[in-house]
Amino acid sequence: MPVEFLGIGGTNDGSETSPRSGPSFDKQYTLRLARAHEEYGWDRVLFAYGSGSPDPAQVAAFVATRVTDLGILLAHRPNVSYPTYALKTFATLDQISDGRLTVHFITGGNDHEQGREGDFLTKDTRYSRTREYIGIVKKGWTSREPFDHEGEHYSFKDFVSDVFPVQRPRPSVSFGGSSAAAYAAGGAEADIYCLWGEPLADTAQQIVSVKEAALRAGRADLPRIQVAFRPIIAPTEELAWEKAHRILGDLRRAGGNGRRLPGPPENTGSQRLLEVAARGERHDRALWTPTAAATGGAGNSNALVGTPETVAEALLDYYDLGVEIISARGYDILDDTIDFGRHVIPLVRQGVAERDRARAAGLSSVGS
């Protein structure tokens, strides 16, 4: 099966280890970073959402008109716009990008961050809203006839869009979460289910939960699985671990540059990351948890540490579990994008090709 690589469509050079050197939306840096992803073998980049951040849809449109082959993953929170409005935004962006759009729906795992934009629903209710929202977006993307909707969170009559996506039948939908409510919503609606990097056994358990939720929802197809890491690579193992500890020191001194979660995490995904960190610093081939502990389990924060060969083999371990999409970003975002693309992505693609050939040969011998 194919493997894809997702990077970050950052709008400035800041990270958890260092403050940005310019404005929040640095157009030249944004474009330079996107072009580096395109040049070094990445498939798509995420334009993330934050309550005070530049509007990711407009940033994505800016990049799409200047970078011709890179896929776009647009993050969207359902609380910030009505679904009939949002689906037209998405369809227009798919037109601008000539069919390169995937939409990532964010339910929101932190009440304080949601409240910054007037969203005061409970987490489980937010998941219910997201599930309804995605269903409306999908229908609006594909329905050429007016339709009504009467649901728990949204109600409207006689809506039909006059702009449709390039992709047929529609763009893919991406979704993440680690709670029972998340599995139920994402299992029912997601084409891609996103997980944060955990040990192999924990990831396997989550994949089972996602697939079971999809089957309970009556789906014949199953979501593709994406897992996210923070790779730390160097030419030797010793240098990689020196680099990892240097980054950890920078993380602690910088305090996450505002990205550390305020207080204990409310969302199950971050709680899981901290629980894994409490079990030990190192897991499996290369997974390292102190980076997650230092940020309070904030988002994608577990690292893979080692030479490019070690990190590639670690990623292939996840591929062998059924993971088809690897999300990765470093702490020196631009340089790490180039290094990972140059040194790790080709090794993983080679390993996947070898596995596919061996599988095909095995099936051929069985058939004969």
Side-chain angles (χ1 to χ4, degrees):
M1 63 184 179
V3 63
E4 297 180 7
F5 289 91
L6 170 69
I8 186 69
T11 61
N12 61 72
D13 61 357
S15 76
E16 297 95 327
T17 59
S18 59
R20 66 178 189 248
S21 62
S24 177
F25 181 25
D26 181 334
K27 290 194 293 183
Q28 294 308 310
Y29 179 87
T30 300
L31 194 54
R32 187 180 175 195
L33 179 61
R35 285 174 171 159
H37 281 92
E38 183 177 52
E39 180 178 355
Y40 289 96
W42 300 75
D43 295 286
R44 65 172 65 90
V45 292
L46 166 67
F47 293 94
Y49 190 93
S51 59
S53 301
D55 177 18
Q58 296 189 57
V59 176
F62 167 75
V63 169
T65 60
R66 291 160 175 82
V67 180
T68 57
D69 296 323
L70 189 65
I72 292 166
L73 177 59
L74 177 67
H76 180 77
R77 286 183 184 167
N79 63 292
V80 299
S81 69
Y82 212 73
T84 50
Y85 175 85
L87 70 88
K88 293 181 294 180
T89 299
F90 305 148
T92 304
L93 183 53
D94 200 50
Q95 291 281 345
I96 290 170
S97 66
D98 296 320
R100 287 180 279 149
L101 177 69
T102 300
V103 182
H104 180 67
F105 289 92
I106 302 174
T107 298
N110 181 272
D111 290 346
H112 177 72
E113 170 67 6
Q114 294 300 120
R116 284 171 165 163
E117 294 188 282
D119 185 12
F120 299 103
L121 296 181
T122 63
K123 187 176 72 171
D124 283 358
T125 305
R126 292 198 297 265
Y127 276 117
S128 169
R129 177 181 61 190
T130 301
R131 183 171 179 174
E132 184 178 344
Y133 196 101
I134 294 172
I136 294 168
V137 168
K138 287 179 177 178
K139 188 168 185 178
W141 277 341
T142 57
S143 177
R144 264 58 177 178
E145 299 295 329
F147 64 96
D148 300 340
H149 179 83
E150 190 68 41
E152 179 183 359
H153 304 281
Y154 302 102
S155 176
F156 55 84
K157 293 185 180 299
D158 201 38
F159 174 81
V160 63
S161 179
D162 195 33
V163 57
F164 294 93
V166 171
Q167 298 176 75
R168 294 290 186 268
R170 57 173 177 79
S172 293
V173 166
S174 170
F175 181 94
S178 297
S179 66
Y183 295 145
E189 297 292 349
D191 303 299
I192 300 168
Y193 202 101
C194 308
L195 304 170
W196 289 332
E198 297 184 6
L200 291 164
D202 301 76
T203 300
Q205 173 265 316
Q206 288 220 74
I207 292 172
V208 169
S209 296
V210 171
K211 291 182 176 179
E212 288 177 345
L215 293 172
R216 284 195 297 272
R219 292 179 57 171
D221 62 330
L222 295 175
R224 300 168 67 202
I225 302 298
Q226 172 182 306
V227 179
F229 302 97
R230 306 300 292 270
I232 301 174
I233 63 171
T236 69
E237 296 291 330
E238 181 180 9
L239 289 173
W241 285 104
E242 287 178 4
K243 181 179 178 181
H245 286 286
R246 188 164 59 250
I247 287 170
L248 181 59
D250 291 341
L251 272 175
R252 289 169 173 166
R253 282 188 292 273
N257 283 318
R259 293 172 173 84
R260 183 183 174 92
L261 294 174
E266 300 165 10
N267 61 307
T268 304
S270 293
Q271 292 169 6
R272 288 176 65 101
L273 294 185
L274 294 182
E275 188 274 329
V276 170
R279 278 158 38 195
E281 291 192 355
R282 297 177 66 169
H283 300 263
D284 303 322
R285 194 186 299 267
L287 191 71
W288 194 53
T289 65
T291 47
T295 58
N300 173 18
S301 50
N302 268 342
L304 291 176
V305 182
T307 64
E309 292 78 10
T310 296
V311 171
E313 287 298 325
L315 292 172
L316 287 166
D317 291 338
Y318 287 90
Y319 176 82
D320 290 338
L321 291 181
V323 173
E324 296 181 54
I325 304 170
I326 302 297
S327 172
R329 62 185 172 98
Y331 292 94
D332 185 349
I333 297 175
L334 179 59
D335 287 347
D336 288 344
T337 292
I338 294 169
D339 285 347
F340 187 87
R342 177 182 285 149
H343 300 297
V344 178
I345 288 178
L347 294 176
V348 177
R349 293 198 191 281
Q350 178 184 342
V352 167
E354 290 170 354
R355 283 160 166 75
D356 288 347
R357 284 194 295 270
R359 188 178 299 112
L363 291 174
S364 176
S365 64
V366 170
S368 63

